[in-house]
Amino acid sequence: MIAVRTSITRHGNSMASTTIRSMSNSVPETMKAAVVRETGDAHMLKVETNYPTPKLQKGQVIVKNEYAGINFIDTYHRSGMYKRC
């Protein structure tokens, strides 16, 4: 796994970018995930901290996210308005 973190710092009228890359061969067994197990109101969206991490296949990567968000269309899927594939 390769983790990349970029920070931008303002110095007067100019900006500087710093990128830190780190590589790890270990992938955790579980991860935190926003999960909808059944349709319904907003209470159906649950954050699970022990969600199984996907298993890597040849040619794939896993990206560690620091932040994530829920899109508006996700509320339609959660409510049952649109069926998930």
Side-chain angles (χ1 to χ4, degrees), residues 1-2 23-29 56 62:
M1 178 170 60
I2 299 174
M23 189 176 219
S24 171
N25 290 331
S26 64
V27 176
E29 292 293 317
L56 282 175
I62 290 182

Side-chain angles (χ1 to χ4, degrees), residues 73-85:
I73 192 68
D74 295 323
T75 63
Y76 288 149
H77 291 294
R78 180 202 28 88
S79 68
M81 184 178 262
Y82 290 117
K83 292 185 181 180
R84 292 184 90 63
C85 298

Side-chain angles (χ1 to χ4, degrees), residues 5-85:
R5 178 177 290 179
T6 302
S7 62
I8 299 174
T9 308
R10 188 172 189 89
H11 295 285
N13 291 333
S14 63
M15 298 183 79
S17 175
T18 304
T19 301
I20 301 169
R21 295 174 189 253
S22 63
M23 189 176 219
S24 171
N25 290 331
S26 64
V27 176
E29 292 293 317
T30 60
M31 64 183 189
K32 186 187 291 186
V35 179
V36 176
R37 301 226 180 252
E38 57 185 286
T39 58
D41 65 8
H43 294 95
M44 295 295 110
L45 178 68
K46 304 290 182 190
V47 175
E48 296 181 6
T49 58
N50 61 348
Y51 195 82
T53 304
K55 301 300 177 204
L56 282 175
Q57 302 298 320
K58 186 176 180 178
Q60 294 181 333
V61 297
I62 290 182
V63 177
K64 181 180 179 182
N65 294 315
E66 291 289 325
Y67 302 95
I70 304 296
N71 294 314
F72 189 73
I73 192 68
D74 295 323
T75 63
Y76 288 149
H77 291 294
R78 180 202 28 88
S79 68
M81 184 178 262
Y82 290 117
K83 292 185 181 180
R84 292 184 90 63
C85 298

